Amino acid sequence: MISVVEINDIEWLEPHRAAWQTLLAQTGNASFFQSLDWLQAYWRNYGAGQRLRVLLIQQAGQTLAIVPLVVRREQTRLGELRFLTYPLADWGTFYGPIGPNPSAALTIAWRYIRGMPRDWDVIEPRCVDTHGTDGGRTAATMRAVEMPPQRKAWMPAAMVDLSAGWDVYWASRKTHFRTNVRSCEKKLKAQHSLEYVRFRPAGAAFHDSDPRWDLYNACEDVARRSWQHQSASGTTLSSDSIRPFLHDCHAAAVQAGAADINLLYVDQQPVAYAYNYHYQGHVSGLRMGYDPDLGRQGAGTLLQYYMLQDSCRRGDRLIDQGAGSIECKRNWRSRVVTTYAYSYFASDSTRAQLLRCKRAFDGWRGQADVAVDLDAASVA
């Protein structure tokens, strides 16, 4: 018989680490953001004010799938609402259930949530790769348990496809761009000494877990000199608002063998960086930046060039450049992927129903990419 064990305390997840790691390895297009290591670091820094609801789907004592969820309060134009969603919080691009059978996991999870006392106003799994790994499963499973969802475009992200190898990828870039990259490299090499450094430790399981804070600090140093450090959003690697969290994540990623630091040194000084996570050939770009003076000479471009070439040599298949600045990534990206959120609104929550109507109205007026399920208008 299938059962669901719900865990609400982050410390209670540690005994399930082995099962989590095994299932993550069986998850399609998985990323470090779906690991227990990342969730623990996230919860230490941002768990206050949220309720953890991790669902372990089990049979005869064996965990078959894991669906990590949180309940968080968010302000909307209609007031504060409680959203039951994935814990990703837009740090990465994609999220979903952990395990080899996502359809069964989601169906069981939604049915379980519906049968429990309601601590949410809106069920809203976000960052769903609808046209990729998810394949429409989220919408289908929500409908199957009589929770017809409203779909909303969440965010676009740039992807670099290296599955065919470097020569095929590089030949797909525009001739003018390839010429510019080679010209940047030639000019910089003529005037300076260049060194590209990539740090990708294998992790504690392979006795390779030195965090190399010297390299991480070099990334922070470049970030402080970049234009992003002055941005009002305050979300670069060196920003005080997120710096402790990213430090925790780096330590966790090194232990898990998921850290990926890229640095370009010019005359032995770091001038450009890209900090990523990697998992089974999937590289997730987290932050990048470059010194503004040498950036004008193409240091940032050259770092990307070296990094993608090296990724091909290492067997990386997909580079997720992340959301935002899509236009700036046009020369590198293979495609742009849009993720989606699927929303089911509690019938006895007035604000939730008003939000449902507002989103549907905005979608009909063309002000938002909202798709309304055929039954959503009549069944809440």
Side-chain angles (χ1 to χ4, degrees), residues 2 4 18 48 76 109 185 193 262 264 284 301 331 335 340 362 371:
I2 299 291
V4 177
T76 73
E185 182 181 33
S193 65
N262 296 264
L264 181 66
S284 302
T301 296
N331 290 321
R335 60 184 182 271
Y340 292 86
D362 288 345

Side-chain angles (χ1 to χ4, degrees), residues 162 195-201 212 215 219 258-265 274-278 281-285 303-319:
L162 300 177
E195 182 185 11
Y196 166 63
V197 173
R198 190 167 205 167
F199 172 63
R200 190 183 274 196
R212 289 298 303 271
L215 297 179
C219 293
D260 183 29
I261 291 179
N262 296 264
L263 281 160
L264 181 66
Y265 289 83
Y275 187 94
N276 314 314
Y277 301 126
H278 74 97
H282 180 137
V283 178
S284 302
L303 174 64
Q304 284 274 54
Y305 177 65
Y306 290 154
M307 183 180 76
L308 294 180
Q309 277 189 308
D310 186 68
S311 278
C312 279
R313 286 191 288 268
R314 292 171 181 265
D316 296 334
R317 301 182 304 277
L318 183 69
I319 311 293

Side-chain angles (χ1 to χ4, degrees), residues 4-314:
V4 177
V5 175
E6 179 173 346
I7 294 182
N8 308 117
D9 189 321
I10 194 71
E11 294 181 359
W12 296 352
L13 288 173
E14 188 59 36
H16 303 280
R17 173 174 292 277
W20 196 306
Q21 291 176 331
T22 298
L23 291 168
L24 186 63
Q26 300 170 8
T27 302
N29 203 28
S31 74
F32 175 65
F33 293 104
Q34 290 171 282
S35 69
L36 177 57
D37 301 281
W38 184 85
L39 180 60
Q40 288 173 329
Y42 171 76
W43 207 253
R44 283 193 298 270
N45 288 270
Y46 298 113
Q50 302 186 63
R51 185 186 181 209
L52 187 68
R53 299 193 68 179
V54 176
L55 308 183
L56 307 181
I57 298 169
Q58 299 183 333
Q59 185 176 38
Q62 179 183 0
T63 301
L64 305 178
I66 301 172
V67 183
L69 297 168
V70 298
V71 179
R72 66 169 62 102
R73 296 178 180 272
E74 297 180 3
Q75 285 294 332
T76 73
R77 292 185 179 181
L78 299 170
E80 186 178 81
L81 287 170
R82 299 168 299 172
F83 287 84
L84 177 68
T85 185
Y86 293 135
L88 185 60
D90 292 341
W91 282 102
T93 302
F94 306 118
Y95 208 89
I98 297 160
N101 193 337
S103 292
L106 287 171
T107 301
I108 294 167
W110 303 142
R111 186 174 291 122
Y112 170 83
I113 291 294
R114 287 217 66 177
M116 297 297 289
R118 184 171 67 79
D119 61 351
W120 48 269
D121 301 303
V122 183
I123 296 176
E124 190 170 83
R126 299 165 178 170
C127 298
V128 176
D129 185 16
T130 298
H131 303 299
T133 305
D134 178 73
R137 293 182 180 90
T138 297
T141 55
M142 293 179 78
R143 286 194 294 267
V145 299
E146 300 181 348
M147 296 195 313
Q150 186 184 79
R151 191 186 77 177
K152 175 181 174 63
W154 195 247
M155 59 182 180
M159 302 290 151
V160 177
D161 186 351
L162 300 177
S163 59
W166 174 254
D167 291 339
V168 172
Y169 167 74
W170 191 238
S172 70
R173 303 301 92 194
K174 292 182 179 179
T175 303
H176 179 67
F177 175 64
R178 298 200 308 266
T179 301
N180 283 345
V181 173
R182 287 191 290 265
S183 177
C184 285
E185 182 181 33
K186 184 177 180 180
K187 289 178 180 178
L188 279 171
K189 281 186 173 180
Q191 302 174 30
H192 309 278
S193 65
L194 301 183
E195 182 185 11
Y196 166 63
V197 173
R198 190 167 205 167
F199 172 63
R200 190 183 274 196
F206 296 90
H207 308 289
D208 182 18
S209 56
D210 180 352
R212 289 298 303 271
W213 290 110
D214 58 323
L215 297 179
Y216 187 90
N217 292 337
C219 293
E220 281 196 343
D221 178 59
V222 176
R224 289 189 189 92
R225 288 182 272 132
S226 69
W227 67 266
Q228 291 102 325
H229 185 71
Q230 307 301 325
S231 173
S233 65
T235 58
T236 193
L237 203 68
S238 56
S239 300
D240 291 339
S241 59
I242 63 172
R243 190 167 175 263
F245 170 54
L246 296 183
H247 266 243
D248 277 2
C249 284
H250 175 65
V254 168
Q255 290 291 312
D260 183 29
I261 291 179
N262 296 264
L263 281 160
L264 181 66
Y265 289 83
V266 174
D267 297 332
Q268 300 182 329
Q269 297 298 315
V271 299
Y273 82 94
Y275 187 94
N276 314 314
Y277 301 126
H278 74 97
Y279 186 77
Q280 294 187 345
H282 180 137
V283 178
S284 302
L286 185 71
R287 294 292 186 272
M288 63 182 301
Y290 53 82
D291 182 286
D293 293 331
L294 282 166
R296 285 187 285 270
Q297 299 180 47
T301 296
L302 204 53
L303 174 64
Q304 284 274 54
Y305 177 65
Y306 290 154
M307 183 180 76
L308 294 180
Q309 277 189 308
D310 186 68
S311 278
C312 279
R313 286 191 288 268
R314 292 171 181 265

